[in-house]
Amino acid sequence: MKAQLQMYEVVHVKPLIAKFSLGDENVTLMVYLIPNVVATDNDKVVSVVSSPLITVVSDKPKMGELCNQRKIMTHKAVVPNHEIVSEGGTEIMVNNKKAVIKVKITNINVYPDLRDSFGSPCVNVSWIQLINA
């Protein structure tokens, strides 16, 4: 049994969408899963290496200190209760067979006093990937 790297086609990318509140501020988090490498064994997808593209949008953007790793380590995180609005998923075709990869959020840390350049809060997301092949 030896896995082989395969060419693949991205058919459809739909983001996971989560929503949460920080006081009177409503925040939408979108995670797009972008595949980088696909491996198969006996024409079955056994591994996909992916990168998340994370977008955060606030309904009440505010200015604040800009996000960066050093500042995150010295600021207190808030763990919000979040609601998954859409599970999303990235559909790929490998050897004329469909596979879907999805994001499962395991934790969200929000730094309300740190902001991105558009005024949305700084967010750190922990996640795992699920494959349906």
Side-chain angles (χ1 to χ4, degrees):
M1 181 162 84
K2 184 176 179 185
Q4 297 180 347
L5 299 182
Q6 293 292 323
M7 296 292 290
Y8 60 93
E9 174 187 358
V10 176
V11 177
H12 184 74
V13 178
K14 183 178 178 185
L16 173 141
I17 300 173
K19 295 192 178 231
F20 58 88
S21 296
L22 299 170
D24 65 344
E25 181 180 18
N26 297 309
V27 180
T28 302
L29 169 76
M30 294 168 278
V31 182
Y32 299 83
L33 201 53
I34 310 301
N36 299 317
V37 177
V38 176
T40 62
D41 185 20
N42 293 329
D43 279 343
K44 181 170 172 67
V45 173
V46 293
S47 178
V48 178
V49 177
S50 302
S51 299
L53 177 68
I54 299 172
T55 302
V56 180
V57 179
S58 170
D59 70 341
K60 294 184 178 169
K62 306 170 190 171
M63 298 317 336
E65 284 186 80
L66 285 177
C67 296
N68 75 40
Q69 279 305 114
R70 279 191 176 162
K71 289 181 184 176
I72 283 176
M73 294 186 323
T74 61
H75 284 73
K76 184 173 172 125
V78 173
V79 179
N81 289 327
H82 65 277
E83 174 188 359
I84 302 296
V85 177
S86 171
E87 289 186 0
T90 299
E91 183 179 325
I92 60 175
M93 290 293 287
V94 182
N95 297 331
N96 294 320
K97 293 181 183 174
K98 179 174 91 167
V100 178
I101 51 177
K102 291 188 175 194
V103 173
K104 172 79 171 153
I105 291 177
T106 57
N107 190 46
I108 299 175
N109 290 323
V110 182
Y111 301 85
D113 52 337
L114 296 175
R115 298 287 166 154
D116 65 17
S117 57
F118 298 105
S120 295
C122 189
V123 175
N124 186 351
V125 179
S126 298
W127 59 281
I128 60 172
Q129 175 180 278
L130 306 172
I131 302 171
N132 181 4

